[in-house]
Amino acid sequence: MHGINSYTVAMIPIVVFSMTNIVSAKDMKSLNWDILWLLAGGIALGNAMEETGLALHIIDSIPFDTLSPLLIIGIATMITFTLANFMSRTATANLMLPIIAAMGANLSSVAVYGSKLLILTVTLAASLAMALPISTPPNAMAHATGIIRTEHMAKPALLIGIMGLIGLAVLMVILKAVHFV
């Protein structure tokens, strides 16, 4: 609307708060910069995969036309879940959903199950990722306290994630049965 990119707009409050002493140098020093770098790194990784074409290259290298629709949905779900655990789940959703939407619209075998079902499955799979501090901001904040270590998060999160994926599969069967697509 105003032609200024979002990075510049995001800096305006920082400048204003610094100039008016709402945020002091002491406050800036007390910020946990590790969390900010961790989250920014996950988002940057997702953006880099999309901008460099690596994500599309990976998708193009899989012969989807020879796979069953259920296998395609399963692969997309597992790729999303895995990526979202190793980078920000928001970045993963931003990376995967355009690709998944295009794939769902263009593959006739997946169209039998419905592209809405595929998109919903992938979205919920990204939401289940929480094994590492980078996966989600609350994990990063808990990890930054020093009380919670990565192994404290990973074991229960993977168990919950696997149970969630099983529940997701059941939900998708129910949605297909009630003609959600």
Side-chain angles (χ1 to χ4, degrees), residues 122-142:
V122 167
T123 302
L124 293 175
S127 297
L128 290 171
M130 60 186 124
L132 298 174
I134 197 168
S135 302
T136 179
N139 280 14
M141 290 187 299

PDB file of all heavy atoms in Angstrom, residues 122-142:
ATOM      1  N   VAL A 122      -1.290 -31.813   5.167  1.00  0.00           N
ATOM      2  CA  VAL A 122       0.055 -31.251   5.235  1.00  0.00           C
ATOM      3  C   VAL A 122       0.111 -30.111   6.261  1.00  0.00           C
ATOM      4  O   VAL A 122       1.069 -30.004   7.033  1.00  0.00           O
ATOM      5  CB  VAL A 122       0.512 -30.787   3.838  1.00  0.00           C
ATOM      6  CG1 VAL A 122       1.749 -29.933   3.905  1.00  0.00           C
ATOM      7  CG2 VAL A 122       0.753 -31.994   2.957  1.00  0.00           C
ATOM      8  N   THR A 123      -0.906 -29.285   6.297  1.00  0.00           N
ATOM      9  CA  THR A 123      -0.944 -28.187   7.269  1.00  0.00           C
ATOM     10  C   THR A 123      -0.931 -28.711   8.693  1.00  0.00           C
ATOM     11  O   THR A 123      -0.173 -28.229   9.542  1.00  0.00           O
ATOM     12  CB  THR A 123      -2.205 -27.328   7.047  1.00  0.00           C
ATOM     13  OG1 THR A 123      -2.196 -26.831   5.711  1.00  0.00           O
ATOM     14  CG2 THR A 123      -2.257 -26.170   8.019  1.00  0.00           C
ATOM     15  N   LEU A 124      -1.760 -29.698   8.974  1.00  0.00           N
ATOM     16  CA  LEU A 124      -1.810 -30.256  10.322  1.00  0.00           C
ATOM     17  C   LEU A 124      -0.532 -31.010  10.659  1.00  0.00           C
ATOM     18  O   LEU A 124      -0.094 -31.004  11.818  1.00  0.00           O
ATOM     19  CB  LEU A 124      -3.039 -31.150  10.484  1.00  0.00           C
ATOM     20  CG  LEU A 124      -4.383 -30.402  10.427  1.00  0.00           C
ATOM     21  CD1 LEU A 124      -5.544 -31.377  10.483  1.00  0.00           C
ATOM     22  CD2 LEU A 124      -4.486 -29.367  11.528  1.00  0.00           C
ATOM     23  N   ALA A 125       0.095 -31.633   9.682  1.00  0.00           N
ATOM     24  CA  ALA A 125       1.372 -32.321   9.924  1.00  0.00           C
ATOM     25  C   ALA A 125       2.444 -31.315  10.340  1.00  0.00           C
ATOM     26  O   ALA A 125       3.253 -31.603  11.227  1.00  0.00           O
ATOM     27  CB  ALA A 125       1.807 -33.102   8.691  1.00  0.00           C
ATOM     28  N   ALA A 126       2.458 -30.151   9.719  1.00  0.00           N
ATOM     29  CA  ALA A 126       3.421 -29.115  10.115  1.00  0.00           C
ATOM     30  C   ALA A 126       3.154 -28.659  11.544  1.00  0.00           C
ATOM     31  O   ALA A 126       4.086 -28.392  12.302  1.00  0.00           O
ATOM     32  CB  ALA A 126       3.348 -27.930   9.153  1.00  0.00           C
ATOM     33  N   SER A 127       1.892 -28.601  11.921  1.00  0.00           N
ATOM     34  CA  SER A 127       1.535 -28.173  13.275  1.00  0.00           C
ATOM     35  C   SER A 127       1.944 -29.172  14.340  1.00  0.00           C
ATOM     36  O   SER A 127       2.074 -28.813  15.503  1.00  0.00           O
ATOM     37  CB  SER A 127       0.027 -27.927  13.362  1.00  0.00           C
ATOM     38  OG  SER A 127      -0.337 -26.884  12.503  1.00  0.00           O
ATOM     39  N   LEU A 128       2.143 -30.418  13.966  1.00  0.00           N
ATOM     40  CA  LEU A 128       2.529 -31.455  14.931  1.00  0.00           C
ATOM     41  C   LEU A 128       4.013 -31.427  15.259  1.00  0.00           C
ATOM     42  O   LEU A 128       4.449 -32.073  16.209  1.00  0.00           O
ATOM     43  CB  LEU A 128       2.157 -32.837  14.384  1.00  0.00           C
ATOM     44  CG  LEU A 128       0.673 -33.158  14.326  1.00  0.00           C
ATOM     45  CD1 LEU A 128       0.449 -34.447  13.555  1.00  0.00           C
ATOM     46  CD2 LEU A 128       0.093 -33.249  15.709  1.00  0.00           C
ATOM     47  N   ALA A 129       4.786 -30.711  14.507  1.00  0.00           N
ATOM     48  CA  ALA A 129       6.240 -30.702  14.700  1.00  0.00           C
ATOM     49  C   ALA A 129       6.607 -29.838  15.899  1.00  0.00           C
ATOM     50  O   ALA A 129       6.227 -28.680  15.986  1.00  0.00           O
ATOM     51  CB  ALA A 129       6.918 -30.164  13.455  1.00  0.00           C
ATOM     52  N   MET A 130       7.346 -30.440  16.821  1.00  0.00           N
ATOM     53  CA  MET A 130       7.770 -29.697  18.009  1.00  0.00           C
ATOM     54  C   MET A 130       8.964 -30.351  18.693  1.00  0.00           C
ATOM     55  O   MET A 130       9.174 -30.183  19.882  1.00  0.00           O
ATOM     56  CB  MET A 130       6.604 -29.562  18.980  1.00  0.00           C
ATOM     57  CG  MET A 130       6.038 -30.886  19.459  1.00  0.00           C
ATOM     58  SD  MET A 130       4.578 -30.687  20.438  1.00  0.00           S
ATOM     59  CE  MET A 130       3.435 -31.698  19.517  1.00  0.00           C
ATOM     60  N   ALA A 131       9.759 -31.113  17.965  1.00  0.00           N
ATOM     61  CA  ALA A 131      10.826 -31.893  18.575  1.00  0.00           C
ATOM     62  C   ALA A 131      12.071 -31.085  18.922  1.00  0.00           C
ATOM     63  O   ALA A 131      12.803 -31.458  19.827  1.00  0.00           O
ATOM     64  CB  ALA A 131      11.205 -33.054  17.664  1.00  0.00           C
ATOM     65  N   LEU A 132      12.314 -30.008  18.234  1.00  0.00           N
ATOM     66  CA  LEU A 132      13.542 -29.244  18.453  1.00  0.00           C
ATOM     67  C   LEU A 132      13.219 -27.797  18.816  1.00  0.00           C
ATOM     68  O   LEU A 132      12.115 -27.317  18.523  1.00  0.00           O
ATOM     69  CB  LEU A 132      14.411 -29.278  17.191  1.00  0.00           C
ATOM     70  CG  LEU A 132      14.894 -30.665  16.758  1.00  0.00           C
ATOM     71  CD1 LEU A 132      15.609 -30.579  15.426  1.00  0.00           C
ATOM     72  CD2 LEU A 132      15.787 -31.280  17.820  1.00  0.00           C
ATOM     73  N   PRO A 133      14.159 -27.093  19.418  1.00  0.00           N
ATOM     74  CA  PRO A 133      13.903 -25.696  19.772  1.00  0.00           C
ATOM     75  C   PRO A 133      13.546 -24.829  18.563  1.00  0.00           C
ATOM     76  O   PRO A 133      12.767 -23.889  18.689  1.00  0.00           O
ATOM     77  CB  PRO A 133      15.227 -25.226  20.381  1.00  0.00           C
ATOM     78  CG  PRO A 133      15.881 -26.459  20.870  1.00  0.00           C
ATOM     79  CD  PRO A 133      15.456 -27.552  19.930  1.00  0.00           C
ATOM     80  N   ILE A 134      14.073 -25.156  17.398  1.00  0.00           N
ATOM     81  CA  ILE A 134      13.819 -24.350  16.211  1.00  0.00           C
ATOM     82  C   ILE A 134      12.400 -24.547  15.663  1.00  0.00           C
ATOM     83  O   ILE A 134      11.905 -23.720  14.919  1.00  0.00           O
ATOM     84  CB  ILE A 134      14.872 -24.663  15.127  1.00  0.00           C
ATOM     85  CG1 ILE A 134      14.893 -23.568  14.087  1.00  0.00           C
ATOM     86  CG2 ILE A 134      14.632 -26.017  14.495  1.00  0.00           C
ATOM     87  CD1 ILE A 134      16.061 -23.632  13.151  1.00  0.00           C
ATOM     88  N   SER A 135      11.728 -25.620  16.043  1.00  0.00           N
ATOM     89  CA  SER A 135      10.424 -25.953  15.472  1.00  0.00           C
ATOM     90  C   SER A 135       9.374 -24.885  15.732  1.00  0.00           C
ATOM     91  O   SER A 135       8.558 -24.594  14.865  1.00  0.00           O
ATOM     92  CB  SER A 135       9.910 -27.277  16.034  1.00  0.00           C
ATOM     93  OG  SER A 135      10.810 -28.310  15.791  1.00  0.00           O
ATOM     94  N   THR A 136       9.380 -24.325  16.919  1.00  0.00           N
ATOM     95  CA  THR A 136       8.330 -23.390  17.298  1.00  0.00           C
ATOM     96  C   THR A 136       8.859 -22.408  18.349  1.00  0.00           C
ATOM     97  O   THR A 136       9.689 -22.792  19.177  1.00  0.00           O
ATOM     98  CB  THR A 136       7.092 -24.164  17.798  1.00  0.00           C
ATOM     99  OG1 THR A 136       6.077 -23.257  18.183  1.00  0.00           O
ATOM    100  CG2 THR A 136       7.408 -25.091  18.928  1.00  0.00           C
ATOM    101  N   PRO A 137       8.407 -21.169  18.343  1.00  0.00           N
ATOM    102  CA  PRO A 137       8.910 -20.187  19.311  1.00  0.00           C
ATOM    103  C   PRO A 137       8.774 -20.601  20.786  1.00  0.00           C
ATOM    104  O   PRO A 137       9.712 -20.369  21.551  1.00  0.00           O
ATOM    105  CB  PRO A 137       8.097 -18.924  18.999  1.00  0.00           C
ATOM    106  CG  PRO A 137       7.776 -19.056  17.553  1.00  0.00           C
ATOM    107  CD  PRO A 137       7.552 -20.537  17.334  1.00  0.00           C
ATOM    108  N   PRO A 138       7.674 -21.209  21.229  1.00  0.00           N
ATOM    109  CA  PRO A 138       7.636 -21.626  22.635  1.00  0.00           C
ATOM    110  C   PRO A 138       8.756 -22.612  22.992  1.00  0.00           C
ATOM    111  O   PRO A 138       9.308 -22.546  24.095  1.00  0.00           O
ATOM    112  CB  PRO A 138       6.260 -22.277  22.786  1.00  0.00           C
ATOM    113  CG  PRO A 138       5.425 -21.627  21.752  1.00  0.00           C
ATOM    114  CD  PRO A 138       6.356 -21.393  20.597  1.00  0.00           C
ATOM    115  N   ASN A 139       9.094 -23.502  22.086  1.00  0.00           N
ATOM    116  CA  ASN A 139      10.221 -24.413  22.332  1.00  0.00           C
ATOM    117  C   ASN A 139      11.522 -23.636  22.455  1.00  0.00           C
ATOM    118  O   ASN A 139      12.353 -23.934  23.310  1.00  0.00           O
ATOM    119  CB  ASN A 139      10.354 -25.434  21.199  1.00  0.00           C
ATOM    120  CG  ASN A 139       9.385 -26.571  21.314  1.00  0.00           C
ATOM    121  OD1 ASN A 139       8.433 -26.513  22.077  1.00  0.00           O
ATOM    122  ND2 ASN A 139       9.621 -27.608  20.544  1.00  0.00           N
ATOM    123  N   ALA A 140      11.708 -22.669  21.585  1.00  0.00           N
ATOM    124  CA  ALA A 140      12.931 -21.871  21.624  1.00  0.00           C
ATOM    125  C   ALA A 140      13.033 -21.104  22.943  1.00  0.00           C
ATOM    126  O   ALA A 140      14.110 -21.029  23.541  1.00  0.00           O
ATOM    127  CB  ALA A 140      12.966 -20.905  20.443  1.00  0.00           C
ATOM    128  N   MET A 141      11.921 -20.563  23.412  1.00  0.00           N
ATOM    129  CA  MET A 141      11.941 -19.823  24.673  1.00  0.00           C
ATOM    130  C   MET A 141      12.204 -20.761  25.852  1.00  0.00           C
ATOM    131  O   MET A 141      12.957 -20.413  26.763  1.00  0.00           O
ATOM    132  CB  MET A 141      10.630 -19.067  24.863  1.00  0.00           C
ATOM    133  CG  MET A 141      10.483 -17.912  23.892  1.00  0.00           C
ATOM    134  SD  MET A 141       9.071 -16.841  24.181  1.00  0.00           S
ATOM    135  CE  MET A 141       7.697 -17.952  23.981  1.00  0.00           C
ATOM    136  N   ALA A 142      11.611 -21.945  25.835  1.00  0.00           N
ATOM    137  CA  ALA A 142      11.853 -22.907  26.914  1.00  0.00           C
ATOM    138  C   ALA A 142      13.314 -23.349  26.909  1.00  0.00           C
ATOM    139  O   ALA A 142      13.941 -23.470  27.965  1.00  0.00           O
ATOM    140  CB  ALA A 142      10.933 -24.113  26.761  1.00  0.00           C
TER     141      ALA A 142
END
